[in-house]
């Protein structure tokens, strides 16, 4: 199994982590919309899962939950559907998993305080957390009945290499792109093998994967070019060291539908897992749609900078020299945001993201 890169990862390591303090929850509308498109698949999944008769709690796993904001709707929907099958008294456990550096405090604060929390008016529902990479085993064997993973499995166990002249793997070429593809293939197999061991017989897993179409387009390459150019400008001005920029990389790989489907090829199961449904979506951009309604360029630019900061800045800026002071880090962050904002304002249409996602319903035999 791969994944050695993140085993033993220090809890202060921010590669892969979303921006903390609840910031991601406030600035993740595109991810929210990606999950919404898969809610009907989640309903199908609950309807198909066999109900255990051994008195064990019905375990729902939310793999890669971040700060929980985008999990509220799918988990509420799942709980209602499960309730209608198991009755009011049966315990339901919801386990939110993520890497150790995740902001679990924001997640549990949200669950306790949000009017939209799935805990409102829900008896016998037990929210728990697991701070462990999904490229490792998280649950005891055959204990999970329903799995959900939204916009998370394109985050690799680690970037296999730096990318010359860029931060975004779809812009890599040659051997570097091949190294990302190999790591991605191994990570996806590892993810599936661990889930296969954790799922009960007949359990279902819904995965919404950040994807690319068959031409390799993720739908966000224009925004990533702008972010990369902003970093290069900071190097040219001496605000960022060339050695720091060279190490900056977002540790993701957007798989094509064929790459997602590869472990299931020929109808063969992966350790007893079967792909019941797999479909590529091209998402609308909610930030662009809002801009078209309001014509408010300032709000559009701010939303895009915040979206980037929420999901990608912790990974990118983890390459800053550890000797940098907090004041320096904050200054570099502000300078970057300023440059990215100027680029988005100059060419709003080029920043628009039409993310590709691949949505899967996976069954355990
Ligand atoms: C873009 S966020 C998506 C969060 C949430 N599911 C949503 O729909 O908004 C990706 C999440 O995957 C998590 N992640 C990255 N690598 C991971 C890994 N190896 N194991 C578990 N979670 C991981 C990140 O920490 C982050 O919280």
């Amino acid at each position: 199994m791969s994944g050695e890169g993140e085993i033993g990862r220090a809890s202060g390591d921010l590669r892969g982590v979303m921006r903390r303090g609840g910031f991601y929850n406030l600035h993740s509308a595109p991810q929210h919309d990606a999950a919404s498109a898969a809610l009907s698949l989640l309903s199908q999944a609950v309807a198909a899962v066999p109900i255990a008769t051994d008195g064990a709690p019905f375990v729902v796993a939310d793999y890669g939950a971040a700060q929980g904001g985008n999990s509220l709707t799918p988990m509420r929907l799942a709980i209602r559907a499960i309730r209608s099958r198991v009755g009011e008294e049966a315990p339901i456990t919801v386990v939110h998993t993520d890497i150790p550096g995740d902001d679990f405090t924001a997640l549990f604060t949200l669950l306790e305080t949000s009017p939209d929390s799935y805990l409102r008016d829900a008896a016998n529902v037990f929210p728990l957390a697991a701070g462990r990479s999904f490229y490792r085993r998280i649950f005891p064997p055959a204990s999970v009945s329903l799995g959900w993973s939204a916009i998370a499995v394109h985050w690799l166990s680690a970037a296999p290499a730096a990318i010359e002249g860029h931060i975004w793997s779809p812009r890599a070429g040659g051997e570097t792109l091949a190294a990302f593809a190999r790591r991605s293939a191994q990570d996806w197999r590892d993810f599936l093998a661990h889930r296969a061991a954790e799922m009960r017989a007949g359990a279902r897993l819904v995965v919404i994967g950040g994807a690319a179409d068959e031409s390799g387009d993720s739908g966000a390459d224009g925004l990533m070019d702008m972010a990369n150019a902003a970093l290069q400008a900071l190097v040219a001005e001496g605000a960022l060291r060339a050695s720091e920029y060279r190490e900056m990389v977002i540790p993701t790989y957007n798989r094509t539908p064929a790459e997602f489907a590869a472990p299931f090829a020929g109808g063969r199961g992966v350790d007893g897992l079967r792909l019941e449904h797999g479909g590529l979506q091209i998402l609308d951009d909610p930030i662009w749609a809002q801009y078209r309604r309001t014509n408010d360029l300032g709000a559009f630019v701010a939303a895009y900078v915040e979206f980037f900061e929420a999901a990608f800045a912790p990974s990118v800026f983890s390459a800053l020299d550890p000797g940098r002071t907090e004041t320096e880090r904050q200054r570099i962050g502000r300078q970057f945001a300023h440059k990215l904002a100027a680029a988005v304002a100059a060419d709003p249409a080029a920043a628009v993201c039409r993310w590709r996602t691949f949505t899967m319903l996976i069954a355990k035999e």
Side-chain angles (χ1 to χ4, degrees):
M1 299 244 171
S2 74
E4 292 82 6
E6 57 24 86
I7 293 173
R9 210 180 217 181
S11 61
D13 186 337
L14 294 182
R15 278 170 296 173
V17 172
M18 303 296 105
R19 185 162 154 191
R20 302 171 61 86
F23 191 89
Y24 174 79
N25 272 347
L26 295 174
H27 303 291
S28 51
Q31 293 92 331
H32 175 271
D33 287 8
S36 302
L39 292 179
S40 60
L41 224 46
L42 185 61
S43 301
Q44 271 182 49
V46 177
V49 168
I51 300 302
T53 50
D54 57 8
F58 190 106
V59 176
V60 183
D62 176 19
Y63 295 103
Q67 298 157 10
N70 290 335
S71 297
L72 298 183
T73 301
M75 291 304 107
R76 187 179 329 101
L77 184 144
I79 289 164
R80 284 202 186 134
I82 296 162
R83 270 279 164 261
S84 73
R85 298 198 59 208
V86 300
E88 292 304 315
E89 301 303 322
I92 300 173
T93 306
V94 180
V95 186
H96 300 280
T97 84
D98 213 293
I99 47 182
D102 181 56
D103 189 352
F104 287 103
T105 303
L107 191 159
F108 283 100
T109 304
L110 188 79
L111 290 186
E112 294 302 328
T113 60
S114 168
D116 298 326
S117 171
Y118 61 77
L119 294 177
R120 297 257 151 165
D121 307 322
N124 297 322
V125 176
F126 301 90
L128 304 175
R132 169 172 273 204
S133 167
F134 48 44
Y135 298 121
R136 300 175 68 189
R137 193 71 51 84
I138 300 174
F139 292 88
S143 58
V144 174
S145 286
L146 181 70
W148 168 260
S149 182
I151 311 296
V153 296
H154 57 301
W155 288 87
L156 301 175
S157 55
I163 302 164
E164 200 181 338
H166 222 293
I167 56 173
W168 181 235
S169 69
R171 291 294 194 230
E175 177 45 35
T176 306
L177 184 59
F180 271 85
R182 278 196 302 275
R183 171 61 66 105
S184 158
Q186 186 63 54
D187 280 352
W188 181 227
R189 283 176 189 277
D190 288 351
F191 178 90
L192 292 171
H194 287 306
R195 302 303 77 82
E198 294 168 356
M199 289 163 75
R200 297 177 70 108
R204 296 295 194 280
L205 171 65
V206 176
V207 180
I208 304 129
D213 57 32
E214 292 301 352
S215 72
D217 185 354
S218 70
D221 300 344
L223 178 71
M224 294 304 176
D225 287 344
M226 289 181 183
N228 185 54
L231 293 167
Q232 289 176 333
L234 291 183
V235 174
E237 290 169 10
L240 189 64
R241 294 178 199 137
S243 56
E244 291 172 319
Y245 170 69
R246 273 199 298 277
E247 296 296 314
M248 289 181 165
V249 54
I250 296 172
T252 56
Y253 180 88
N254 289 54
R255 300 179 184 92
T256 63
E259 288 170 322
F260 271 117
F264 305 95
R268 279 177 292 113
V270 183
D271 294 345
L273 296 185
R274 194 180 65 248
L275 183 62
E276 290 191 323
H277 168 87
L280 182 74
Q281 281 82 40
I282 300 179
L283 300 178
D284 287 335
D285 180 337
I287 303 174
W288 179 248
Q290 166 98 348
Y291 173 51
R292 297 301 292 268
R293 276 194 304 274
T294 62
N295 221 16
D296 184 342
L297 182 62
F300 175 80
V301 170
Y304 253 107
V305 172
E306 286 159 349
F307 164 72
F308 186 92
E309 287 184 326
F312 304 112
S315 293
V316 169
F317 291 108
S318 68
L320 290 181
D321 184 331
R324 291 254 194 209
T325 64
E326 192 48 37
T327 310
E328 284 179 295
R329 289 168 181 275
Q330 286 184 9
R331 190 186 63 232
I332 293 168
R334 279 196 305 274
Q335 287 170 316
F336 168 75
H338 185 72
K339 287 203 182 302
L340 181 58
V344 174
D347 192 357
V352 168
C353 294
R354 296 210 164 77
W355 290 99
R356 275 61 168 160
T357 58
F358 194 66
T359 302
M360 288 156 277
L361 176 56
I362 297 168
K364 173 80 186 279
E365 302 287 359

